[in-house]
Amino acid sequence: DNVLATRVNDIRVYMTDPPASGTSSGTLFYAFSDGTMRQLATWTDVPFSTLAAPGVSILDTSVVSYDPTELAALLGVLQDSTGLFINQITIRTVGSTSVNVPAGKTICARIDYQLDVEL
């Protein structure tokens, strides 16, 4: 009840502790409660060093291509200047690498989300 506003500060793709060399190509999808997966962004042949945590913003158009309509739809649901709008979101990445990577290594996505609260 004390949340005054919500906003997205950034959306990033990253790889925790990536191998020393190689590249990744992939796609970032999201879905809300209805379950329909929507394509938000893609990247091609991005060096692992660029994807090393904290990763790269999807707004860095030299590395990632994003769909402006889908970004606006995502932000339209997650950001609210009047309070907290509860919604379930699913994020999924799909892609490939130019070299074999150890089992368990994944390309991840992160939404930096801010809540303004009154205490």
Side-chain angles (χ1 to χ4, degrees):
D1 291 339
N2 294 332
V3 176
L4 301 178
T6 60
R7 69 176 95 345
V8 173
N9 291 325
D10 201 1
I11 302 170
R12 294 179 281 145
V13 291
Y14 69 96
M15 187 176 209
T16 303
D17 193 26
S21 64
T23 63
S24 169
S25 298
T27 305
L28 170 62
F29 297 93
Y30 75 95
F32 290 118
S33 301
D34 69 0
T36 302
M37 295 303 284
R38 299 167 178 244
Q39 183 175 313
L40 179 60
T42 60
W43 60 95
T44 303
D45 296 327
V46 176
F48 289 152
S49 59
T50 301
L51 292 173
V56 64
S57 172
I58 68 162
L59 299 178
D60 182 343
T61 56
S62 67
V63 178
V64 179
S65 298
Y66 69 93
D67 182 323
T69 302
E70 290 301 334
L71 179 59
L74 176 68
L75 297 178
V77 170
L78 293 180
Q79 299 187 137
D80 190 332
S81 63
T82 63
L84 179 61
F85 179 75
I86 303 298
N87 204 327
Q88 178 180 339
I89 183 170
T90 302
I91 300 172
R92 180 172 61 122
T93 59
V94 175
S96 61
T97 59
S98 62
V99 298
N100 291 331
V101 297
K105 292 286 180 194
T106 58
I107 301 293
C108 304
R110 177 180 176 145
I111 297 177
D112 293 331
Y113 194 60
Q114 178 178 328
L115 304 170
D116 296 344
V117 297
E118 183 176 87
L119 301 175

